[in-house]
Amino acid sequence: AHAQPFNKEVTIEGKNPILLGKINKEILSTNTYVDWFLKNYDAYQPESTYITILKEKLPEYTITAFFGSWCGDSKEQLPPFYKILDEAKFPLERLTVVGVSRERDAYKQSPGGEEEGLNIHRVPTFIFYKDGIEVNRIVEQPIATLEHDMSMLLQNESYIPKYNSVTIVNNALKKMGTVKFHRKAKKLLPQLRKEVKNISELNTYSSVLFFADQKEEALAVAKLNTLLFPNEAYTYESLANKQFKTNSLEKALKNYETSLTLDPENERVKKSITTVKEKIGV
């Protein structure tokens, strides 16, 4: 395979360029990235107590960070993350930073496929490895502060990152396979109800799976989301959209109609129902 270009910039439809694939710190001090990178880097002051811990613990680890140069959370969190590593004297050759896409057909993906198999559903995601094995990760935002969360997970203290619901479902999919997951998913509901904060958690995960061409898994997660939020119109619409795109038209129609029952004024769903009915000749 050919090596992927480093610090690759892509401009789509006249918008500001975005970074895709592996990058280094230097590129973040150029172009439009400098506006948010240097400002947030300079403004952040890590707590010294945690920096002391990180200086001791971090040399045993390597880190892979996924971010979107288009993403507000990445713009907020990536500069402080670099600041913390710099103050902890962490060698940046032990850090891999990967820019992912926001485009529909490559959602949360990079040109080199570095995200494959890593369950990257939110950015930024900072993954910490020891001896080549993932120890833990910080997803999107820290629970407290970046340096606090890093010190907790590196000291083997109990640390559960945000969106633990996605981790639970992802692990269940890997363990069961899609067919068994469809049958057994209801058993996850009591545990997930304690974890899930809103419909977007699993909906975003489902979309990431769908555009990564894991369509059966995406449909299974979208269906699970309707069980978690049976009174939310958008869960049924999102499931129906995926069913429509995979040509499961009768199932799509049923879920569009359920969505419309819950939200009778939704013109977008009304149009979708008309389109499906035309296709199946109803």
Side-chain angles (χ1 to χ4, degrees), residues 28-236:
L28 295 171
S29 298
T30 66
N31 212 324
T32 59
Y33 322 115
V34 69
D35 295 337
W36 53 267
F37 182 77
L38 289 184
K39 176 184 175 183
N40 292 335
Y41 181 95
D42 292 339
Y44 195 75
Q45 298 300 321
E47 190 171 339
S48 59
T49 301
Y50 297 119
I51 294 298
T52 300
I53 295 170
L54 295 177
K55 281 182 178 178
E56 176 188 352
K57 298 291 184 180
L58 269 178
E60 303 174 22
Y61 294 80
T62 58
I63 306 170
T64 300
F66 292 89
F67 83 109
S69 59
W70 42 269
C71 164
D73 288 307
S74 294
K75 293 177 181 180
E76 179 183 320
Q77 301 298 332
L78 187 63
F81 190 75
Y82 267 110
K83 183 75 166 281
I84 292 164
L85 295 184
D86 287 345
E87 294 207 0
K89 309 299 182 186
F90 183 75
L92 294 186
E93 60 267 23
R94 296 179 66 82
L95 169 69
T96 300
V97 182
V98 181
V100 297
S101 176
R102 63 181 168 189
E103 296 305 306
R104 221 173 228 288
D105 293 339
Y107 189 47
K108 304 284 174 67
Q109 298 173 35
S110 69
E114 289 87 356
E115 80 292 340
E116 292 178 8
L118 295 180
N119 190 22
I120 305 302
H121 58 97
R122 300 273 175 168
V123 287
T125 292
F126 306 103
I127 307 177
F128 296 79
Y129 296 91
K130 187 174 183 180
D131 300 325
I133 299 171
E134 178 178 342
V135 173
N136 213 325
R137 60 177 63 190
I138 297 172
V139 180
E140 192 178 65
Q141 294 178 338
I143 304 300
T145 65
L146 280 171
E147 63 270 24
H148 170 272
D149 287 26
M150 290 166 68
S151 65
M152 281 191 67
L153 68 87
L154 296 184
Q155 293 181 99
N156 297 317
E157 296 183 29
S158 176
Y159 178 79
I160 299 175
K162 291 183 66 176
Y163 305 106
N164 190 45
S165 60
V166 175
T167 301
I168 292 168
V169 175
N170 184 65
N171 289 342
L173 273 170
K174 285 183 176 179
K175 182 178 180 180
M176 297 181 192
T178 311
V179 174
K180 188 176 180 180
F181 183 88
H182 272 293
R183 298 198 312 268
K184 303 286 188 179
K186 286 185 179 180
K187 293 186 177 181
L188 296 173
L189 292 177
Q191 183 181 12
L192 289 174
R193 287 189 177 114
K194 297 176 184 178
E195 299 283 347
V196 177
K197 304 298 188 296
N198 56 61
I199 65 172
S200 71
E201 291 188 25
L202 292 185
N203 187 65
T204 296
Y205 172 52
S206 175
S207 295
V208 168
L209 290 172
F210 194 84
F211 293 113
D213 206 26
Q214 294 176 265
K215 292 184 171 55
E216 287 301 317
E217 292 87 344
L219 288 165
V221 174
K223 177 65 181 299
L224 176 61
N225 212 24
T226 66
L227 301 179
L228 279 168
F229 297 96
N231 298 317
E232 293 283 352
Y234 187 68
T235 60
Y236 297 95

Side-chain angles (χ1 to χ4, degrees), residues 239-254:
L239 173 58
N241 288 339
K242 294 176 177 68
Q243 290 169 332
F244 177 79
K245 289 172 183 173
T246 53
N247 210 35
S248 297
L249 300 182
E250 288 82 6
K251 291 180 180 179
L253 179 59
K254 179 180 177 181

